[in-house]
C-alpha cells in the first residue's frame, strides 16, 4: 500500500515566521515531486484551495521487510538462487546421514555422548528387543560440527521465510508439514550444542529428502514461470512423481536400516534391496524385518504408497491426455535445425489434411527437408488422429491445439522460424463472411508476430480479399470458382483442365488399365507447368533471338514440351503467348507444360535417317507420321527419358489459305495426289501474315452481314471497362458493354416493365442459347462469371444470354454492377422448382450451372451437404435431356453419385480403378470418374492444391488467373477453344495442328477435349468390359423394318442437337415403333413360357427388353408433366417438342456422364469425354475434338502498328467470309 506524506496545512495550526500566509501561492518544493493540486492564486483566508500536496509513491517497498521479501520471494532470479541454495542444503544433510550410517558400527558399543558404551544382541527366538540401538548412534565430532552448522543455517532461513510470509495466522505456518519436518531435523542439533550428552541422539535427518523435494518443486516453478503452463505442468508432474518414488524408497531404506539395528542389523544396500522388492510387489521373502517397529514402518510406507502414487499417476495421465490434445510444442532446437511450415485452420477435416499432405509432399525435396506443424483451435478428431499415427506422417506432422491469435500458441509453433504459413478458411461454415473474418484476423496476427514469414492465404469472398493483400499469395475461392464455371460453358471441361494442371502427378495413373483412353488420359494428366531460365535451358536455349511462336512450335516438335508463356527479367508480369512479335532473350523465364521439369529429364539423341532424295527433304518433313518424333515418356524415379530427333526447320512449299481461316485446306499448285503441306513457322514475325485482327474493330462483326432478325433492331455494343466494380480488388477487363446502362426493371427476365413487355425467354428472340446460373444469393463472386463471357475477345455473334436464377433477390449494389453488360438477366426462383426453371427459359438453354449453396453446409453429416444438389440435378437430367449441366459439389467424393446407376458394371469397374489408384498413392484417384473427366462436375476443394503448389511454384496462381480471365495483363493471351470438324482432318495429327495454328494465327494449343464412341464387350466373363445398357430395339424382328427410315431421320436431325455430343432422337417416339412395340410385347408374353429352360443370357435379354418399355413410358410421363406445366404458366410448348423426344440414354449422352447406347447402330457404342493435356505430336486428330488454345492478345500491338493495321485489316476483312472468321466453334 502506498503511504502519502501530507504536510500540515497552515489553517490547521499557527503559522510560523517562515510559513506562507493563507491564500498565497506556495513556493516550489525542492524535491521535484509532482504536486497533487496545482497552485492557484486567490481565495478566502483559511482555504486549502491554493495549497500544494506532495505524494510519495511505493513507500512500503522501501522498508527493510519489503526489501527482504523482494529478494527472497518476489524477484525471480534471487528467489531461484535462494531455493537452489536451500535444495543443496537438504541434499547435503541426506548425504551426511549416509556418511554417518557408513561410519557407525553398533558392535563397538552404544550409548550417549561421554557415557559408557554397551553391546546389545538380538535374540531371534524372543519378541523383545532393546530400544538403546534405536535411540543412540555413533556420531564423529567433525561430522557433528558440520551437521550443526547446516542445521543452524536451515533453521535461520526457515524462521526468516516464516517471518516474511506471515499474513496474520501464525498457527497455519507452525503446523505446516514442511515447518514441522524442518524443526525435527534442525532443532535437536541446536540443542546438542548446549547439552553435550545428546550429541549421539538419533535424529531422522533422512526426512530432509521430502524437504528437498519441496524445494525442487518451488525451484522448477520459478524456473518455468515465464514458460507455457501446459508444458511446465507436464514437466512438474513427471518430476513430482519421480521425486515421490525416490523419497519413498530413500525413507524406507534409511528407516528400516535404522530400526533393524535392534533386530537383524541390516546394512543400507540390503535395506534398499528389500524396499525395491517390496514396492514392486515381488516380495521374494529372503529379507524380512525382525522387530515390530520396522514391520510397522513397512506397513505405513505401503499404505502411503498405495494412496500417494495412484493420485500422482492419475494427475500425470490427465496431463498427458491434455497434452496429447493440445499437441505440446515444436522445440526451438528443431526449429533452428529443421525447416517447417505451419498450417492454420479453424477446423481440420480428414479430406483437407490428406489433400494438403499429398500435394505438399508430392515434391521430392520437401519429403526430406520439411515438417508440417498444424495449429488448430479444435481438438483432434478420431480420423485425423488415426492418420497422424501412420509412420509415414507421424514423423513429419506435428499437431498443436491452439489459436493463431495467441502469441503463446504462435510461439509454440515457432512461427517466426517457419518457412511459410498456410491460412485456410473453413468453407463448411454456413456464414462464409464470418469464416473470412476469422481468416483475416489470423493473417493479421501471424503478420504481427512473424512479419518475415511468407503468408499463403485462402479467402472465400472476393470483397474480403483486399484485407489480406499484404500476403505473399492469396487465392479467392469464389473468384476462381465462377470464372471456371463460366469458361466451362464456352471451353468445355475447363475445370478438369485446370484441376489436372494444379495437381502434382507423374502420369502413372491408369497405365495398367486395359482401356486405351484411360492409359492416354492418365499419362497426359501428369503434365504440369514448370519454369526455367531460357539461357540455362536445353529445351529453349537454341531459340534465342527467335520469335516466341517459333520457339513454342519447335520445342513441342522436338522435345514434346509446350511453351505457354514467359517473363522478362526487367518486367515482373507473366505473359501467356505474347505472340510472334516477342523475341526471346537469354534472360527470359520460360513457362512450359511437360510431364516433368527439365532438370529431371534425360536427353537421348537419335540421328535422323538419311534422306534418299535430299531435294524433297522440305516436303517430306511432314508427309507421314513416321517422320514425326515419337516421344516415349518413361516416368521412373522422377526422370523422363525423351527420344529426340534432329528437327531443323525447313520451309514448306505450301502457304496460308487466302480466306483467312486457320484450318482451311491450302490450295496446291501441283498434282492432287500430293498431301497438302503447311506453311512453316517464321523465326521473326511477319505482321501481314497474322490473321486475328478482326477483334480490334467494332464494326467488323456487324457490318459484314445484315441482320437476320425480323422487325428487331440491332443493339449496338461498345467495348470498354465496366464502370462499377462490385468489390475492391477486381482486375479491370475490357468487355462488351451497353452504350447506356439498362434500367433495373429491364434486368428482370420474367416480368415486363414500361420499357419492354417480355415475360419469358422466347419473347426476347435470342439467337444463341441461354446460359443459366443457379445460385443462392447474388454474391460479388458472381460478377466474375459474367466478365469472362463478355470479354472483348469474344465474338459478338457468340455472346450467349445469361440468366441468373437466384433464391434471394439481388441487392441494388449488385444490379448496378451488372446493368452495363448486354443480355444479362436475373430471376427469383430455385433450381428445385420446375416452374422457375421453365420461366427462366431452360428449354432454350444450352448450359445450366448449378452452384453449391451455403445453406446446405448446415447438414449434420458433412458429406450430406451435396444431397439436395445431386438429387435436383438428377431430376433436371431426366426432365431436360438436351441440357448440358455443370454442377459444383462440396465434397469431391460425392461426384460418383452424379447419374448414379447401381447395376452399371462399367461404373463399378471405374470405382474399383479409383480405389486401386488411391491405394497406389495417387493424388488424382477421382480423375477417372466420367463426370469429372467430361468436365460436368467439380469441387472447389480441388483448387486447394493451387495454394499448396504455389509454395514450390510461386507463379501458379498468376498463371491460373490469366487462364481463367481473372487478370488481364497487357500483352498476355487468353484461353479459348476451337472445334475440329470433318473438313479439318486433313491436318491429321496434333503436331501438324500445332504448326498450322502457330504459322497462321500465332495460337498455342495446350490440349484436346475428346469425345469418342467407346465399344464395350458384352461377354459376361469380363467384368471390366461388361456394360448394362438399354436394349437396342433393332434386335427385335418386329422393329427391324423401321430401322432404315429412322436412321435417316436421326442422321439428318443430329445437326440441330448439342454440337459436341451429336445426340439422336428416341425411336420409340416414332409412330411406327409405337405400334410395333405393343405387338412385340404381346409376342414376348406368348414366348415367355417357351423360354423358361433356355440359357440365363436369354432371361437377362428379356428383362432388359421389359426395362426398355418401362423407360419409354417414364419418358412420356416426364414429357407430359413438363408440357402441362408450360401450358399452366402460359408458355409455348413448341420449343420442348424436340427435347421431349430424347430417351434416358440420350440424357447420359448429353452430359457425357456414362457410356451410352447408340440405338441407331448395330453395335453397343457408348460415348465418353476426357481431357488430354499436351498430347504427343503424333496424336491423331478425331472429329469433334475441341482444342484448347492460348490466343495472343489482339490489343498487344495496337499502338505500335496502328497505321499498318488499318490497311492490312481492312483488306482482310473485305475478303473474309463471316463463317470462317468465327474461329471458336463450340
Amino acid at each position: 500500500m502506498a503511504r502519502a506524506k501530507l504536510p500540515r496545512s497552515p489553517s490547521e495550526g499557527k503559522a510560523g515566521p517562515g510559513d506562507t500566509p493563507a491564500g498565497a501561492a506556495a513556493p516550489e518544493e525542492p524535491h521535484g515531486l509532482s504536486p497533487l493540486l496545482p497552485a492557484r492564486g486567490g481565495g478566502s483566508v483559511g482555504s486549502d484551495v491554493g495549497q500544494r500536496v506532495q505524494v510519495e509513491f511505493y513507500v512500503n517497498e522501501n522498508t527493510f521487510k519489503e526489501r527482504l521479501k523482494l529478494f527472497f520471494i518476489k524477484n525471480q532470479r534471487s528467489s531461484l538462487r535462494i531455493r537452489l541454495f536451500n535444495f543443496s542444503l537438504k541434499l547435503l544433510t541426506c548425504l551426511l546421514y549416509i556418511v554417518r550410517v557408513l561410519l557407525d558400527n553398533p558392535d563397538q558399543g552404544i550409548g550417549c555422548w561421554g557415557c559408557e558404551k554397551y553391546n546389545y544382541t538380538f535374540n531371534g527366538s524372543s519378541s523383545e528387543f532393546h530400544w538403546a540401538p534405536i535411540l543412540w548412534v555413533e556420531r564423529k565430532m567433525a561430522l557433528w560440527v558440520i551437521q550443526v552448522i547446516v542445521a543452524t543455517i536451515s533453521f535461520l532461513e526457515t524462521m526468516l521465510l516464516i517471518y516474511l510470509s506471515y499474513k496474520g495466522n501464525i498457527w497455519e505456518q507452525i503446523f505446516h508439514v514442511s515447518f514441522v519436518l524442518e524443526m525435527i531435523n534442525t532443532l535437536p542439533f541446536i540443542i546438542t550444542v548446549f547439552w553435550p550428552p545428546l550429541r549421539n541422539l538419533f535424529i531422522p535427518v533422512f526426512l530432509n529428502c521430502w524437504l528437498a523435494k519441496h524445494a525442487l518443486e518451488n525451484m522448477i516453478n520459478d524456473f518455468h514461470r515465464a514458460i507455457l503452463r501446459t508444458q511446465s505442468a507436464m514437466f512438474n508432474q513427471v518430476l513430482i512423481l519421480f521425486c515421490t518414488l525416490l523419497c519413498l524408497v530413500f525413507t524406507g531404506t534409511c528407516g528400516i536400516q535404522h530400526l533393524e539395528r535392534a533386530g537383524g542389523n541390516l546394512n543400507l544396500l540390503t535395506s534398499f534391496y528389500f524396499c525395491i522388492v517390496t514396492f514392486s510387489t515381488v516380495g521374494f521373502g529372503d529379507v524380512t524385518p525382525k522387530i515390530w517397529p520396522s514391520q510397522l514402518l513397512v506397513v505405513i510406507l505401503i499404505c502411503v504408497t498405495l494412496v500417494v502414487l495412484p493420485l500422482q499417476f492419475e494427475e500425470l495421465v490427465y496431463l498427458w491426455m491434455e497434452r496429447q490434445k493440445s499437441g505440446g510444442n515444436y522445440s526451438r532446437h528443431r526449429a533452428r535445425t529443421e525447416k517447417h511450415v505451419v498450417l492454420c485452420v479453424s477446423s481440420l477435416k480428414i479430406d483437407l489434411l490428406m489433400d494438403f499432405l499429398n500435394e505438399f509432399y508430392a515434391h521430392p525435396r520437401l519429403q526430406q527437408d520439411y515438417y508440417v506443424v498444424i495449429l488448430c483451435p479444435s481438438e483432434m478428431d478420431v480420423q485425423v488422429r488415426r492418420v497422424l499415427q501412420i509412420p509415414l506422417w507421424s514423423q513429419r506432422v506435428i499437431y498443436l491445439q491452439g489459436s493463431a491469435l495467441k502469441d503463446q500458441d504462435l510461439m509454440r509453433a515457432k512461427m517466426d522460424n517457419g518457412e511459410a504459413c498456410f491460412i485456410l478458411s473453413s468453407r463448411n461454415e454456413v456464414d462464409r463472411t464470418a469464416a473470412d473474418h476469422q481468416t483475416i484476423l489470423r493473417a493479421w496476427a501471424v503478420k504481427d508476430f512473424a512479419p518475415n514469414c511468407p503468408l499463403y492465404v485462402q479467402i472465400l469472398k472476393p470483397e474480403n480479399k483486399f484485407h489480406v493483400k499484404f500476403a505473399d499469395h492469396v487465392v479467392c475461392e469464389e473468384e476462381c470458382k465462377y470464372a471456371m464455371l463460366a469458361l466451362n460453358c464456352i471451353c468445355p471441361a475447363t475445370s478438369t483442365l485446370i484441376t489436372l494442371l494444379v495437381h502434382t502427378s507423374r502420369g502413372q495413373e491408369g497405365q495398367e488399365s486395359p482401356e486405351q483412353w484411360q492409359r492416354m488420359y492418365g499419362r497426359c494428366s501428369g503434365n504440369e507447368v514448370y519454369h526455367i531460365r531460357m539461357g540455362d535451358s536445353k529445351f529453349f536455349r537454341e531459340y534465342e533471338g527467335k520469335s516466341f511462336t517459333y520457339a513454342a512450335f519447335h520445342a513441342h516438335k522436338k522435345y514434346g514440351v509446350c511453351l505457354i508463356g514467359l517473363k522478362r527479367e526487367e518486367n515482373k508480369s507473366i505473359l501467356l503467348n505474347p505472340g510472334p512479335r516477342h523475341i526471346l532473350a537469354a534472360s527470359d523465364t520460360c513457362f512450359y507444360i511437360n510431364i516433368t521439369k527439365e532438370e529431371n529429364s534425360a536427353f537421348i539423341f537419335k540421328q535422323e535417317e538419311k534422306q534418299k532424295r535430299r531435294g524433297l527433304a522440305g516436303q517430306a518433313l511432314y508427309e507421314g507420321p513416321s517422320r514425326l518424333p515419337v516421344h516415349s515418356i518413361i516416368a521412373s524415379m522422377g526422370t523422363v527419358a525423351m527420344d529426340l530427333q534432329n528437327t531443323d526447320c525447313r520451309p514448306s512449299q505450301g502457304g496460308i489459305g487466302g480466306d483467312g481461316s486457320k484450318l482451311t485446306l491450302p490450295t496446291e499448285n501441283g498434282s492432287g495426289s500430293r498431301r497438302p503441306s503447311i506453311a512453316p513457322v517464321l523465326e521473326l514475325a511477319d505482321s501481314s501474315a497474322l490473321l486475328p485482327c478482326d477483334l480490334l474493330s467494332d464494326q467488323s462483326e456487324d457490318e459484314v452481314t445484315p441482320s437476320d432478325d425480323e422487325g428487331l433492331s440491332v443493339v449496338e455494343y461498345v467495348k470498354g471497362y465496366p464502370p462499377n466494380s462490385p468489390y475492391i480488388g477486381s482486375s479491370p477487363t475490357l468487355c462488351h458493354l451497353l452504350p447506356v446502362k439498362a434500367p433495373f426493371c429491364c434486368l428482370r427476365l420474367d416480368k415486363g416493365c414500361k420499357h419492354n413487355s417480355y415475360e419469358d425467354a422466347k419473347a426476347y428472340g435470342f439467337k444463341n442459347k441461354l446460359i443459366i446460373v443457379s445460385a443462392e444469393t447474388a454474391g460479388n463472386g458472381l460478377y466474375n462469371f459474367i466478365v469472362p463471357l463478355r470479354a472483348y475477345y469474344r465474338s459478338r455473334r457468340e455472346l450467349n444470354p445469361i440468366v441468373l436464377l437466384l433464391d434471394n433477390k439481388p441487392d441494388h449494389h449488385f444490379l448496378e454492377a451488372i446493368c452495363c453488360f448486354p443480355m444479362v438477366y436475373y430471376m427469383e426462383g430455385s433450381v428445385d422448382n420446375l416452374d422457375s426453371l421453365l420461366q427462366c427459359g431452360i428449354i432454350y438453354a444450352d448450359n445450366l450451372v448449378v452452384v453449391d449453396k451455403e445453406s446446405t453446409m448446415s447438414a449434420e453429416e458433412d458429406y450430406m451437404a451435396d444431397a439436395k444438389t445431386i438429387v435436383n440435378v438428377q431430376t433436371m437430367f431426366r426432365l431436360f435431356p438436351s441440357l448440358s449441366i455443370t454442377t459444383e459439389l462440396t465434397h469431391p467424393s460425392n461426384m460418383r453419385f452424379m447419374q448414379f446407376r447401381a447395376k452399371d458394371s462399367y461404373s463399378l469397374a471405374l470405382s474399383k480403378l479409383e480405389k486401386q489408384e488411391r491405394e497406389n498413392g495417387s493424388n488424382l484417384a477421382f480423375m477417372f470418374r466420367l463426370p469429372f473427366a467430361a468436365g460436368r462436375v467439380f469441387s472447389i476443394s480441388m483448387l486447394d492444391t493451387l495454394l499448396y503448389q504455389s509454395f514450390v511454384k510461386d507463379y501458379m496462381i498468376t498463371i491460373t488467373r490469366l487462364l481463367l480471365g481473372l487478370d488481364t495483363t497487357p500483352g498476355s493471351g487468353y484461353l479459348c477453344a476451337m472445334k475440329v470438324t470433318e473438313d479439318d482432318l486433313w491436318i491429321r495429327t496434333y503436331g501438324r495442328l500445332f504448326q498450322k495454328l502457330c504459322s497462321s494465327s500465332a495460337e498455342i494449343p495446350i490440349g484436346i477435349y475428346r469425345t469418342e464412341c467407346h465399344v464395350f464387350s458384352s461377354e459376361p466373363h469380363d467384368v471390366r468390359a461388361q456394360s448394362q445398357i438399354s436394349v437396342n430395339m433393332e434386335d427385335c424382328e418386329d422393329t427391324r423394318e423401321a430401322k432404315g427410315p429412322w436412321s435417316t431421320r436421326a442422321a439428318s436431325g443430329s445437326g440441330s442437337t448439342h454440337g459436341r455430343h451429336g445426340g439422336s432422337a428416341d425411336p420409340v417416339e416414332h409412330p411406327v415403333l409405337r405400334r410395333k412395340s405393343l405387338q412385340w410385347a404381346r409376342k414376348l408374353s406368348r414366348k415367355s413360357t417357351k423360354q423358361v429352360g433356355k440359357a440365363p443370357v436369354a432371361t437377362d435379354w428379356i428383362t432388359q427388353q421389359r426395362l426398355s418399355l418401362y423407360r419409354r413410358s417414364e419418358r412420356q410421363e416426364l414429357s407430359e408433366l413438363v408440357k402441362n406445366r408450360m401450358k399452366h404458366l402460359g408458355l409455348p410448348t413448341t420449343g420442348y417438342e424436340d427435347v421431349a423426344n430424347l430417351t434416358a440414354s440420350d440424357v447420359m449422352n448429353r452430359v457425357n456422364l456414362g457410356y451410352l447406347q447408340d440405338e441407331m447402330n448395330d453395335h453397343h457404342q457408348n460415348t465418353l469425354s476426357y481431357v488430354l493435356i499436351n498430347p504427343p505430336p503424333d496424336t491423331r486428330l478425331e472429329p469433334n475434338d475441341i482444342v484448347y488454345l492460348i490466343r495472343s492478345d489482339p490489343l498487344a500491338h495496337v499502338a505500335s502498328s496502328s497505321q499498318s493495321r488499318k490497311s492490312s485489316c481492312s483488306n482482310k476483312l473485305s475478303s473474309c467470309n463471316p463463317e470462317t472468321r468465327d474461329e471458336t466453334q463450340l
Side-chain angles (χ1 to χ4, degrees), residues 862-875:
D862 290 340
Y863 293 92
M864 285 297 177
D866 297 321
K868 185 177 181 180
T869 301
I870 293 175
V871 174
N872 289 338
V873 171
Q874 178 80 2
T875 303

Side-chain angles (χ1 to χ4, degrees), residues 329-396:
N329 64 353
Y330 188 68
S331 65
R332 177 69 62 180
H333 174 71
R334 294 187 61 181
R336 292 176 179 174
T337 58
E338 302 168 351
K339 298 179 180 179
H340 75 283
V341 299
V342 183
L343 175 64
C344 295
V345 290
S346 58
S347 61
L348 186 63
K349 301 298 182 182
I350 186 63
D351 293 337
L352 184 144
L353 175 63
M354 295 311 301
D355 288 343
F356 178 83
L357 295 179
N358 289 330
E359 181 61 34
F360 185 79
Y361 284 113
H363 303 276
R365 73 178 182 89
L366 300 183
Q367 295 180 1
Q368 301 176 357
D369 300 339
Y370 284 83
Y371 292 83
V372 175
V373 178
I374 302 174
L375 186 60
C376 179
S378 60
E379 183 181 345
M380 190 189 319
D381 61 9
V382 179
Q383 291 182 332
V384 174
R385 187 184 302 276
R386 188 183 300 118
V387 168
L388 295 185
Q389 289 176 349
I390 300 175
L392 177 64
W393 307 121
S394 61
Q395 303 300 324
R396 301 178 183 178

